[in-house]
């Protein structure tokens, strides 16, 4: 049976009718599968949540033990049977390569295979297994950076810019705006891989999630809370990582001679960097750029491509030009830069 007959867009989000299952719903529902822990995909209040063990740990860290009435941790490649016994839907999670615990969702029903990508990237990331190609009839892909203008440079190049800036401006505190979940830890690891061994200082909002990553066996090196530094003048020449909202906040005024840095795929748009008064833009994204979106569609090679949250129209047009049947789902509520740029 074609997925268009059993998968639809409802007000909470994507809905699989025969399994009574929502994917990343925006409001409390009876059954949800959550692809990853970013707040524009993972909400609290559901009756039953299916997700990877790491995503459940992230949700518990963010929302508390009562984030859902019931939870089921699912391993990658582990199948779960949902729906009626005589009319089952088989759900399997596969790596998405986006952040720790991120997953694609394969739904199999009456001979049809549909994959929801969730947010994903194709670059190497030591915090999570790489994106896995899952053959399917319908591929639902995100399109956060779904315009040809977006081509992301290697992360090593962007981290070298930061390290070089420290050498040029050794008297300035380098304040790096970075989302708390995924981006922060990836930037830290890239700095470590580039040979940066000094302590890295963190805004208080980043501490718990970095501790969670360390509990998951991901070594981040020495991290120090900025609030534990009595003399902030000693942070001259050091790296401080904070949420992007803190770059222009009163909190940052206590830091010495700040050089403002921002790590985001959106930093490729120079006007946006200027608007946010970023002195050193670092183009680091946890999503695919345009060539990688095209590459993924070609490798999955589905019969149809459905596009959601992001620059939908351009990717739908491109997929159509490539010979695929394609359409935009126009889901509401998934912010293109809330946490995941």
């Amino acid at each position: 049976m074609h997925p268009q007959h059993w998968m639809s867009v409802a007000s909470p989000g994507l809905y699989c009718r025969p399994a009574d299952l929502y994917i990343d719903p925006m409001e409390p529902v009876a059954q949800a599968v959550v692809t990853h822990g970013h707040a524009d995909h993972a909400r609290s209040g559901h009756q039953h949540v299916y997700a990877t063990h790491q995503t459940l740990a992230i949700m518990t860290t963010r929302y508390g033990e009562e984030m859902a009435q019931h939870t089921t941790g699912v391993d990658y490649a582990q199948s779960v049977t949902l729906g009626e016994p005589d009319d089952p839907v088989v759900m399997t999670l596969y790596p998405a390569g986006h952040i720790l615990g991120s997953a694609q969702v394969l739904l199999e029903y009456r001979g049809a295979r549909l994959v929801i990508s969730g947010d994903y990237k194709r670059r190497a990331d030591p915090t999570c297994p790489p994106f896995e190609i899952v053959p399917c009839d319908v591929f639902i892909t995100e399109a956060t950076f779904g315009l040809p203008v977006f081509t992301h440079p290697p992360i090593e190049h962007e981290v070298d810019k930061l390290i070089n800036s420290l050498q040029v401006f050794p008297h300035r505190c380098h304040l790096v705006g970075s989302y708390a979940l995924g981006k922060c830890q990836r930037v830290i690891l890239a700095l470590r891989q580039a040979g940066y061994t000094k302590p890295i200082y963190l805004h208080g909002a980043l501490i718990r999630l970095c501790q969670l990553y360390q509990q998951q066996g991901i070594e981040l090196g020495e991290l120090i809370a900025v609030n534990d530094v009595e003399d902030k003048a000693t942070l001259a020449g050091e790296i401080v990582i904070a949420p992007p909202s803190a770059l222009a906040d009163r909190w940052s005024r206590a830091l010495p001679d700040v050089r403002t840095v921002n790590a985001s795929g959106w930093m490729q748009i120079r006007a946006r960097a200027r608007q946010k008064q970023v002195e050193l833009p670092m183009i680091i994204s946890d999503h695919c750029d345009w060539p990688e979106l095209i590459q993924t569609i070609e490798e999955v090679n589905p019969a149809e491509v459905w596009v959601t949250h992001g620059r939908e129209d351009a990717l739908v047009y491109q997929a159509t030009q490539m010979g695929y049947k394609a359409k935009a789902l126009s889901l509401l509520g998934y912010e293109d830069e809330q946490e995941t740029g």
Side-chain angles (χ1 to χ4, degrees), residues 12-305:
L14 282 171
Y15 179 61
C16 177
R17 177 184 47 77
D20 190 23
L21 180 75
Y22 288 89
I23 297 87
D24 293 344
M26 293 292 96
E27 56 193 63
V29 298
Q31 283 197 120
V33 57
V34 174
T35 61
H36 65 283
H38 281 138
D40 57 340
H41 291 256
R43 302 290 176 95
S44 62
H46 306 306
Q47 291 181 33
H48 195 149
V49 169
Y50 296 90
T52 64
H53 300 280
Q54 296 93 336
T55 294
L56 292 177
I58 290 167
M59 292 178 70
T60 300
T61 299
R62 298 191 121 183
Y63 303 127
E65 295 290 341
E66 304 303 317
M67 57 90 175
Q69 293 181 30
H70 305 282
T71 61
T72 299
V74 182
D75 295 325
Y76 292 125
Q78 173 189 352
S79 294
V80 177
T81 301
L82 303 169
E84 298 297 328
D86 59 348
D87 194 26
V89 176
V90 178
M91 178 184 74
T92 313
L93 303 185
Y94 291 93
H98 179 55
I99 62 168
L100 177 70
S102 60
Q104 306 173 73
V105 181
L106 167 65
L107 298 176
E108 298 174 274
Y109 180 65
R110 295 191 180 182
R113 292 166 57 91
L114 176 143
V115 169
I116 302 106
S117 73
D119 288 344
Y120 67 102
K121 71 173 180 291
R122 303 300 303 271
R123 307 289 173 100
D125 183 342
T127 72
C128 57
F131 179 92
E132 190 169 326
I133 297 297
V134 182
C136 56
D137 302 299
V138 175
F139 181 53
I140 301 181
T141 177
E142 61 133 313
T144 302
F145 291 103
L147 288 174
V149 67
F150 291 111
T151 54
H152 302 145
I155 189 172
E156 296 82 4
H157 176 270
E158 301 304 288
V159 167
D160 283 346
K161 292 191 327 191
L162 176 56
I163 292 174
N164 291 336
S165 180
L166 286 165
Q167 296 170 348
V168 175
F169 303 103
H171 58 287
R172 301 190 67 180
C173 173
H174 285 61
L175 178 59
V176 182
S178 178
Y179 297 116
L181 174 57
K183 184 69 61 62
C184 169
Q185 297 80 20
R186 189 164 172 237
V187 168
I188 291 171
L189 284 168
L191 282 163
R192 299 308 188 199
Q193 291 174 343
Y196 189 85
T197 58
K198 296 175 66 178
I200 294 173
Y201 296 84
L202 300 179
H203 185 285
L206 310 182
I207 299 293
R208 284 195 305 158
L209 286 168
C210 284
Q211 290 173 341
L212 174 62
Y213 269 64
Q214 291 169 319
Q215 291 164 7
Q216 295 287 326
I218 299 169
E219 182 53 55
L220 301 176
E222 185 178 3
L223 306 175
I224 299 174
V226 170
N227 288 349
D228 291 342
V229 178
E230 292 187 10
D231 183 4
K232 301 298 190 289
T234 61
L235 295 176
E238 304 292 347
I239 294 176
V240 174
I241 304 181
S245 60
L247 297 186
D249 190 69
R250 288 180 58 186
W251 177 87
S252 66
R253 297 175 194 168
L255 304 176
D257 196 7
V258 168
R259 181 162 167 79
T260 304
V261 187
N262 198 1
S264 170
W266 300 107
M267 289 298 97
Q268 187 163 348
I269 303 175
R270 294 181 181 179
R272 187 172 295 209
R274 288 195 298 268
Q275 179 186 19
K276 294 181 178 293
Q277 298 181 315
V278 173
E279 293 184 69
L280 180 61
M282 294 173 66
I283 306 169
I284 299 176
S285 177
D286 288 328
H287 297 262
C288 289
D289 61 12
W290 177 259
E292 290 162 342
L293 289 169
I294 304 308
Q295 170 195 346
T296 303
I297 291 172
E298 290 177 334
E299 291 179 351
V300 174
N301 195 28
E304 293 186 30
V305 179

